[in-house]
Amino acid sequence: MGTFTKVALIPFRSVTQSNSIYKEKTMNKILSVALIALLSACASETTKPTDAAGPPEDASLSAQDTSGSPTLNPLNDPNNILSKRSVYFDFDKYLVKDQYKSMVLSHARYLREHSSASIRLEGHADERGSREYNLALGQRRADSVQKVMTLSGTQESQIESISYGEETPRALGHHETAWAENRRADIRYQSE
Amino acid sequence: MGICLRQFFCRTFVIFLCLLGSPLHAALDIEIFGGGASQIPIAIVPFASEEKLKQSVTAVVASDLQRSGIFRLVDSGGLSPHDPRDIIYPNWQMLGTHALVVGSTRMLPNGQVEVRYSLMDVATQELLISDMETVSVKQLRAVAHRMADNIYEKLTGDVGVFSTRIAYVVKQGKKYALQVADADGFNARTAIEYTQPIISLAWSPDGTKIAYVSFENKKPVVHIQTLATGARKAIAKFKGSNSAPAWSPDGKRLAVVLSIRGGSQIFLINANGSGLKRFSRSSGIDTEPSFSPDGQSIIFTSDRGGSPQIYRMPVAGTASGVAERLTFEGDYNVSPQYRHDGKSFTFIHRSGSKFNVAVQDLETRQVQLLTDSLFDESPSFAPNGKIILYATEIGGRGILAAVSSDGRTRQRLSAQTGDIREPAWGPLPKWR
């Protein structure tokens, strides 16, 4: 599995994130973003893990091993930033706003630490205008989140960005509050 | 789906309400508003022995012609000739009609029906059409549509589209059904049903298949379904999103929009899913392709200039061709569809918070706004270029609407329950 997997089992913490979120963790190491990027860069040069190299790493189990609360999957733990999954966007915009970056980077790091985990980034748009253009706009939002992740060193192969456009609105109203709720990208783990 | 046909004529055609045919197969309610400035007055005399049939033929013909907005139906005032030899022309001239349709139906011993009809020019007393068809009772509506097509063509010089079909999506609760119906909303049947959205329907040029985007794989995938057999195939299921199918005029390949190379870009792919080739190359969104009728160019929506606008690019110069911007009015012009003759295209133009159907002439660049509703989407030309079918909404409910290309006549087609959306007007039938 190479050096990447070994390193990845240690739960790195980025200085860009609030440590309080991880208070319950027993192994709380703080590494700089630069170090993560360096390690990830090294990792990307190692061969990709294959099934032949051993049983696929169970993302949730290995995370629980290092957690003080063994029953909670960090992805679902409401106290863990990884349980946050939605990035919201302004009208006709697809830039990831600063307020969502630490959350997106936490998922990016989780993916680096769990090389067998993969996610789908699902872009959405509000209902106004062309369905196909909104599909493309949702795609752009998902692509933007993907770019934040891959720039931090996460493998593109662990991510599929797709769009639902305006087709599956979370909020059903025809007003700005509903539209704002529907202009977003969701992070969804394939195991879910 | 609804099972009753309601028609609200804003002019004087209420008398024809009683003539409307069997309502049992109608899936869509149709309402008509307005009418052309110079309508052709036409009288259609109920055919001999027609009352013995389950399906009135003349009611369907009258409804077709009236719906086009080009004809004004003239009441026959009790006159009932069934043969051209029985027509007393001065009487019809006094009624103010220009054209007159007479005919007869006859039940044959084998259960088939013989339908004869004639179209007369009242002023010149000239016989314009004289025709006879023998069909099964089930085909009486189809015969009536063909008659309406012939009459329309003879009197206007344009091809009639009464024998064509339309496709659309009905959303009812959590179910999405792709339906195909006759152009008058009758004979609707479900081609496929999903619990995930269906969008972007596109008829193959020969009318045998429909390409569409479904989300059953938890992402947009382009399928082609053969209508006669129900067989379907995913032809674009690449990593990321696959959408916006558009057929080339020869039906051999499609333009699709893929995110496989990042962003949303237009690709060409053979109808069997082979031979993927990139068409557009921009750092932004390129989507909603529509082939020109000669297959030489594609118009599409792109935000490469900062706002979504419509561009044209030659097909031969794939990936290196220069895209020419076509729309300049406003900051949101999307969903272009060529007219059948390639001389203009319809699209959605936003002004303020309103999204409306517009047409732009490719030579003069002149833009005409055809609607003034709030949320119009997905415009598509009838195959004679005279009517544009689009989706809109009333009271938060999705309905279909059609507007004549001069903007004067409008129809609304609504399902009795559920949202109806994503319309696509099918091609002319083969016999045309």
Side-chain angles (χ1 to χ4, degrees):
Chain A
M1 302 269 281
T3 54
F4 175 53
T5 310
K6 270 186 201 159
V7 174
L9 285 170
I10 304 164
F12 294 132
R13 300 293 170 238
S14 158
V15 290
T16 59
Q17 278 139 20
S18 158
N19 288 334
S20 63
I21 293 163
Y22 300 99
K23 267 191 293 205
E24 77 284 7
K25 304 290 179 188
T26 53
M27 297 175 66
N28 198 357
K29 286 190 179 179
I30 297 175
L31 292 175
S32 72
V33 175
L35 181 53
I36 293 172
L38 183 66
L39 288 167
S40 306
C42 296
S44 67
E45 283 162 23
T46 62
T47 50
K48 276 181 75 177
T50 61
D51 289 346
E57 180 182 303
D58 185 321
S60 56
L61 277 180
S62 63
Q64 281 170 11
D65 289 346
T66 62
S67 166
S69 161
T71 53
L72 269 185
N73 179 333
L75 297 175
N76 301 330
D77 179 354
N79 293 318
N80 193 315
I81 197 169
L82 293 174
S83 69
K84 303 279 182 292
R85 302 299 182 80
S86 294
V87 179
Y88 292 91
F89 296 86
D90 290 336
F91 174 64
D92 211 18
K93 295 282 188 291
Y94 45 87
L95 203 77
V96 178
K97 290 192 264 188
D98 284 344
Q99 65 197 96
Y100 301 108
K101 283 203 172 134
S102 68
M103 184 265 280
V104 170
L105 286 169
S106 299
H107 285 285
R109 194 187 54 247
Y110 183 89
L111 287 171
R112 288 195 303 276
E113 292 167 359
H114 301 84
S115 57
S116 67
S118 62
I119 57 162
R120 200 193 274 276
L121 295 171
E122 299 174 346
H124 298 270
D126 72 40
E127 63 180 354
R128 292 170 293 171
S130 147
R131 289 179 188 276
E132 277 290 351
Y133 188 73
N134 284 337
L135 193 78
L137 201 54
Q139 183 67 38
R140 248 190 142 156
R141 288 172 178 156
D143 287 347
S144 293
V145 175
Q146 174 173 335
K147 192 154 192 194
V148 171
M149 291 181 162
T150 52
L151 282 178
S152 80
T154 303
Q155 295 293 308
E156 210 178 299
S157 58
Q158 286 176 277
I159 307 170
E160 180 174 22
S161 292
I162 63 112
S163 177
Y164 275 99
E166 64 176 274
E167 304 308 323
T168 53
R170 184 187 281 170
L172 290 174
H174 306 286
H175 45 74
E176 180 48 35
T177 318
W179 291 333
E181 178 69 27
N182 294 332
R183 290 192 300 265
R184 65 177 202 284
D186 291 334
I187 299 165
R188 200 178 292 277
Y189 284 80
Q190 294 289 29
S191 52
E192 294 170 344
Chain B
M1 291 300 296
I3 49 162
C4 98
L5 178 73
R6 254 189 300 129
Q7 295 214 355
F8 297 101
F9 302 154
C10 72
R11 300 228 169 159
T12 56
F13 315 125
V14 179
I15 191 160
F16 281 93
L17 275 171
C18 60
L19 288 178
L20 286 173
S22 161
L24 291 171
H25 306 293
L28 302 174
D29 293 348
I30 299 184
E31 301 171 65
I32 300 159
F33 306 88
S38 55
Q39 295 175 313
I40 302 169
I42 186 168
I44 303 169
V45 181
F47 290 173
S49 309
E50 199 179 11
E51 68 283 356
K52 294 177 194 154
L53 301 174
K54 279 187 192 153
Q55 171 65 58
S56 160
V57 174
T58 48
V60 175
V61 176
S63 161
D64 279 352
L65 295 178
Q66 197 269 328
R67 219 173 52 247
S68 74
I70 291 168
F71 293 89
R72 179 166 64 82
L73 299 176
V74 176
D75 181 22
S76 57
L79 300 170
S80 57
H82 299 304
D83 187 284
R85 286 168 298 188
D86 302 333
I87 297 170
I88 302 161
Y89 284 96
N91 290 342
W92 294 99
Q93 287 159 356
M94 273 173 59
L95 285 172
T97 190
H98 292 182
L100 173 61
V101 179
V102 299
S104 61
T105 60
R106 191 161 66 95
M107 272 309 252
L108 302 178
N110 64 3
Q112 294 218 298
V113 185
E114 181 193 270
V115 184
R116 288 172 184 275
Y117 78 101
S118 303
L119 170 69
M120 320 299 300
D121 183 318
V122 170
T124 65
Q125 306 190 8
E126 190 187 345
L127 178 68
L128 300 175
I129 297 175
S130 177
D131 205 358
M132 196 260 294
E133 275 198 70
T134 304
V135 296
S136 69
V137 175
K138 266 176 79 180
Q139 293 172 301
L140 283 171
R141 289 194 74 88
V143 152
H145 291 316
R146 281 199 289 275
M147 282 175 52
D149 281 334
N150 291 334
I151 293 165
Y152 180 95
E153 190 162 350
K154 186 58 90 176
L155 296 177
T156 69
D158 293 313
V159 173
V161 291
F162 307 116
S163 301
T164 57
R165 290 172 297 168
I166 56 172
Y168 49 86
V169 173
V170 182
K171 178 179 185 254
Q172 236 167 344
K174 289 186 171 171
K175 281 189 177 160
Y176 298 79
L178 193 175
Q179 296 198 332
V180 174
D182 294 348
D184 64 353
F186 277 74
N187 293 324
R189 62 181 186 84
T190 296
I192 193 156
E193 201 172 72
Y194 290 108
T195 52
Q196 295 289 327
I198 308 170
I199 60 168
S200 305
L201 314 186
W203 287 83
S204 66
D206 66 2
T208 62
K209 303 182 190 80
I210 291 180
Y212 60 89
V213 175
S214 88
F215 290 75
E216 63 175 325
N217 300 102
K218 296 190 172 168
K219 66 182 219 171
V221 171
V222 178
H223 287 90
I224 292 179
Q225 179 155 335
T226 303
L227 290 174
T229 63
R232 74 201 168 97
K233 186 183 175 192
I235 62 139
K237 194 184 176 183
F238 300 98
K239 186 178 181 183
S241 297
N242 309 262
S243 67
W247 293 82
S248 66
D250 62 8
K252 286 181 181 159
R253 55 184 178 165
L254 292 95
V256 291
V257 171
L258 309 179
S259 67
I260 186 172
R261 298 274 176 271
S264 296
Q265 294 285 297
I266 301 167
F267 290 72
L268 299 173
I269 192 167
N270 293 331
N272 64 7
S274 70
L276 185 69
K277 201 164 127 186
R278 187 162 179 170
F279 173 70
S280 71
R281 200 172 289 272
S282 74
S283 58
I285 291 170
D286 289 349
T287 188
E288 302 185 311
S290 166
F291 271 93
S292 64
D294 64 6
Q296 297 294 303
S297 50
I298 287 176
I299 50 174
F300 59 98
T301 306
S302 176
D303 72 344
R304 60 185 66 195
S307 65
Q309 300 289 347
I310 292 157
Y311 292 76
R312 176 170 60 183
M313 207 160 96
V315 172
T318 294
S320 58
V322 177
E324 172 199 7
R325 181 169 165 178
L326 299 176
T327 51
F328 292 92
E329 283 181 38
D331 60 0
Y332 193 92
N333 294 299
V334 297
S335 309
Q337 284 279 333
Y338 266 108
R339 200 177 122 112
H340 70 296
D341 57 5
K343 289 182 176 164
S344 62
F345 62 93
T346 181
F347 62 103
I348 294 296
H349 168 81
R350 183 181 69 193
S351 48
S353 57
K354 287 163 85 177
F355 297 82
N356 294 118
V357 177
V359 170
Q360 178 163 332
D361 187 286
L362 275 162
E363 199 179 301
T364 64
R365 300 288 162 108
Q366 206 177 346
V367 174
Q368 191 188 359
L369 267 185
L370 296 182
T371 63
D372 57 4
S373 26
L374 281 178
F375 300 110
D376 300 340
E377 287 181 11
S378 307
S380 79
F381 268 110
N384 64 356
K386 292 288 171 188
I387 312 169
I388 295 161
L389 182 64
Y390 59 98
T392 187
E393 66 170 60
I394 289 183
R397 225 179 117 209
I399 65 162
L400 302 189
V403 60
S404 57
S405 55
D406 62 4
R408 286 179 175 275
T409 309
R410 287 184 210 165
Q411 305 169 37
R412 281 181 193 163
L413 302 84
S414 55
Q416 288 215 319
T417 56
D419 279 307
I420 175 165
R421 49 172 68 169
E422 295 294 275
W425 206 312
L428 292 172
K430 280 191 191 112
W431 59 269
R432 297 293 312 178

